[in-house]
Amino acid sequence: MKIIIAGAYAIGTYLARLLARNQENITVIDEDEDRLAQIGGDVDLLTIQGYPTSVKVLKEAGTAQADLFIAVSPDQSTNINCCILAKALGAKKTVAKVDTAEYTEQEIADFFERIGISSIIYPEMLAAREIISGLKMSWVRQRVDLHDGSLVMLGIKLRETCEILNQPLKDLCGPEDPYHVVAIKRGDELIIPGGNDILQLYDQAYFSTTRQYIPYIRKLVGKEGYADVKNVMIMGGGKTAVRVIKTMPEYMDAKIIEINPERCEELNDLLIDYNPLIINGDGRDISLLMEEGIKRMQAFVALTGNAETNILACLTAKRLGVRKTVAMVENMDYVSMAESLDIGTIVNKKAIAASHIYQMMLDANVLNVHFVMSANADVVEFIAQEGSKVTRKPVKDLSLPKGMTFGGLIRNGEASLVSGGTQFQTGDSVIVFCRDANMKKVEDLFI
């Protein structure tokens, strides 16, 4: 697949590195030679210096043969314009990053599609959805809903209260049990477990289950004592915070602490219909946090533009008794450190945007793609095609690429888990957890 990325900024650089895992034909366009030099040194791709709105530059990049054209510069007008040009020159699909929430509305998105933009990406909205999903389940680090929630993947940090530590998985989750452990994050290592593997204290385990068994999983991992989130304190009043407030369930109450007084006034106007309490102050000030009742909060969300500030603020909130903390960490170098400090849920807009762009990258009737940043893995929902390799033999007899496992399937609207004796049928929706595998090799199983 030929992919062109316009903009060698943070998102473009991250996408190029991520997509390069699958050995795609990638070209990056940017007007700045230094930015291109930073991305091209250790990744197998082509870089072109020039403006992505230049027809000459687009032709030089081979836009007419592009399967996917991705515009992720900081300027949404540039992204929109170069996508329109790319489509006119022959690109099959185009994606534009925008900074205006209005552009994601269905009617406007339909208009953009008519003029040549296949998909609009608004990272702040995607991040807000991820944050709200985490707040709805305070005891879960990450939740991925698949096939409209028929199947669920839960990433959970295991503590001393977990009932299933130090026991072989073959004794815990057999073919008749309502859950499977599809992956284990242990330190910096991700394990696709077999029957003899065990869950250890402080592992982050990824459970695949059906929706009705979520309470059962909660009991197994000893998280029944975690209070549901009703009171949330948010540090930082940027665009992501605004989207969080606007998508927050009615039963949640929020306070926003914003250091800039002018931004506080703007927030009052932007959120007048949502009625959060907006406080002008420094969220790193412990006395202010105490005064504003942090000990009564079930969740603390740090959304400033500074990763270090967000990490430290979440650590402080933890020490003050808040169980659920969420940190925006845009600097990828800090993600592993944040995980090792056990601060809670980590949100990265680049990784979330990448999940959506992955879905356009794959061809084999892919319904859904989620990139699990903490595991450096993908959760993908495939449709098994007639005559495809996965329909020819039971799972135990399939030669599967290294680093993948099945998370479940949906057949005729009914969700179930997958065992060695399962044989997929044409039209089954199959959930795959995929690490360090060439995604195209996995895709080939389904076509």
Side-chain angles (χ1 to χ4, degrees):
M1 178 177 280
K2 181 174 178 58
I3 300 169
I4 298 175
I5 299 173
Y9 295 84
I11 293 180
T13 300
Y14 179 73
L15 275 171
R17 295 179 185 277
L18 195 63
L19 298 176
R21 298 183 313 169
N22 293 336
Q23 299 178 329
E24 304 292 351
N25 179 1
I26 300 169
T27 301
V28 180
I29 303 171
D30 197 281
E31 65 270 21
D32 189 283
E33 187 176 357
D34 292 337
R35 284 197 295 268
L36 290 173
Q38 291 175 6
I39 192 177
D42 56 351
V43 181
D44 185 16
L45 48 75
L46 176 67
T47 60
I48 294 179
Q49 185 181 359
Y51 290 94
T53 51
S54 164
V55 173
K56 181 180 178 181
V57 169
L58 292 175
K59 286 182 176 180
E60 182 185 349
T63 302
Q65 292 79 42
D67 297 290
L68 183 59
F69 184 95
I70 306 164
V72 285
S73 81
D75 182 69
Q76 70 175 7
S77 296
T78 297
N79 296 336
I80 291 168
N81 289 334
C82 65
C83 279
I84 293 171
L85 291 171
K87 188 70 174 180
L89 288 170
K92 291 179 182 177
K93 294 179 181 178
T94 62
V95 182
K97 182 184 83 69
V98 300
D99 302 317
T100 304
E102 176 191 11
Y103 290 170
T104 64
E105 295 173 7
Q106 190 59 54
E107 183 178 343
I108 298 175
D110 291 342
F111 163 74
F112 277 129
E113 187 166 5
R114 289 195 296 272
I115 64 173
I117 302 172
S118 309
S119 183
I120 292 289
I121 299 292
Y122 181 40
E124 286 74 18
M125 181 175 287
L126 301 176
R129 289 175 186 164
E130 188 102 345
I131 291 165
I132 293 299
S133 176
L135 293 178
K136 286 179 179 177
M137 298 180 70
S138 61
W139 51 282
V140 171
R141 287 290 177 90
Q142 185 164 16
R143 170 176 174 164
V144 177
D145 287 292
L146 297 150
H147 208 84
D148 297 324
S150 300
L151 281 166
V152 182
M153 192 193 73
L154 306 173
I156 304 170
K157 188 80 168 184
L158 304 182
R159 308 288 183 182
E160 292 84 348
T161 52
C162 180
E163 299 177 4
I164 52 175
L165 296 176
N166 304 315
Q167 303 173 57
L169 289 178
K170 63 185 178 183
D171 297 337
L172 296 174
C173 41
E176 304 304 318
D177 288 295
Y179 71 94
H180 287 168
V181 178
V182 295
I184 304 168
K185 181 74 182 294
R186 183 171 297 153
D188 292 330
E189 181 186 9
L190 186 77
I191 302 165
I192 302 294
N196 293 321
D197 285 297
I198 63 172
L199 296 173
Q200 297 181 6
L201 187 63
Y202 305 129
D203 282 350
Q204 182 155 313
Y206 294 88
F207 294 82
S208 176
T209 188
T210 51
R211 185 163 36 198
Q212 67 267 34
Y213 286 103
I214 291 176
Y216 178 72
I217 301 297
R218 186 174 187 172
K219 180 179 182 299
L220 282 181
V221 297
K223 303 281 187 176
E224 290 180 303
Y226 278 61
D228 292 332
V229 173
K230 294 181 180 178
N231 299 300
V232 183
M233 185 176 286
I234 299 173
M235 184 177 76
K239 289 182 179 180
T240 304
V242 170
R243 300 314 309 173
V244 168
I245 295 295
K246 288 188 174 183
T247 53
M248 189 173 280
E250 290 185 1
Y251 64 83
M252 290 186 189
D253 291 320
K255 291 183 178 182
I256 300 177
I257 300 178
E258 167 58 43
I259 197 168
N260 186 328
E262 293 179 358
R263 181 58 178 172
C264 288
E265 293 296 328
E266 292 175 1
L267 291 171
N268 277 317
D269 293 335
L270 288 168
L271 300 172
I272 191 169
D273 295 330
Y274 300 89
N275 204 32
L277 181 60
I278 298 167
I279 302 151
N280 179 218
D282 190 340
R284 297 168 295 185
D285 183 345
I286 294 178
S287 62
L288 175 64
L289 297 179
M290 296 294 288
E291 183 181 334
E292 295 300 332
I294 192 167
K295 287 185 174 291
R296 298 190 298 275
M297 298 290 152
Q298 289 87 42
F300 181 89
V301 183
L303 300 177
T304 76
N306 186 290
E308 299 99 316
T309 297
N310 294 339
I311 293 168
L312 290 172
C314 284
L315 286 172
T316 301
K318 283 268 189 185
R319 288 177 183 139
L320 293 173
V322 182
R323 270 192 161 174
K324 180 70 176 183
T325 58
V326 180
M328 182 80 78
V329 180
E330 286 301 282
N331 187 329
M332 296 301 296
D333 294 335
Y334 290 151
V335 170
S336 295
M337 180 188 70
E339 289 177 346
S340 68
L341 292 171
D342 199 20
I343 64 168
T345 300
I346 298 163
V347 174
N348 182 284
K349 289 182 287 188
K350 291 175 285 191
I352 297 168
S355 293
H356 286 255
I357 292 170
Y358 257 147
Q359 188 163 336
M360 300 194 69
M361 213 186 97
L362 301 169
D363 297 323
N365 284 343
V366 177
L367 294 182
N368 233 322
V369 183
H370 295 268
F371 178 65
V372 183
M373 182 179 59
S374 59
N376 192 29
D378 303 298
V379 182
V380 191
E381 185 174 353
F382 288 103
I383 298 294
Q385 301 297 292
E386 185 175 0
S388 59
K389 294 176 184 176
V390 292
T391 63
R392 298 175 193 169
K393 301 176 182 178
V395 167
K396 61 184 174 61
D397 296 328
L398 293 172
S399 298
L400 300 178
K402 182 181 178 182
M404 70 159 286
T405 187
F406 294 112
L409 71 91
I410 296 93
R411 179 179 296 162
N412 299 323
E414 294 291 325
S416 62
L417 300 178
V418 175
S419 66
T422 300
Q423 182 150 359
F424 298 118
Q425 299 177 10
T426 300
D428 283 352
S429 180
V430 183
I431 310 304
V432 174
F433 191 96
C434 178
R435 170 194 63 89
D436 290 345
N438 186 322
M439 184 65 80
K440 289 300 180 187
K441 290 182 179 178
V442 178
E443 187 182 1
D444 286 345
L445 294 171
F446 291 87
I447 57 177

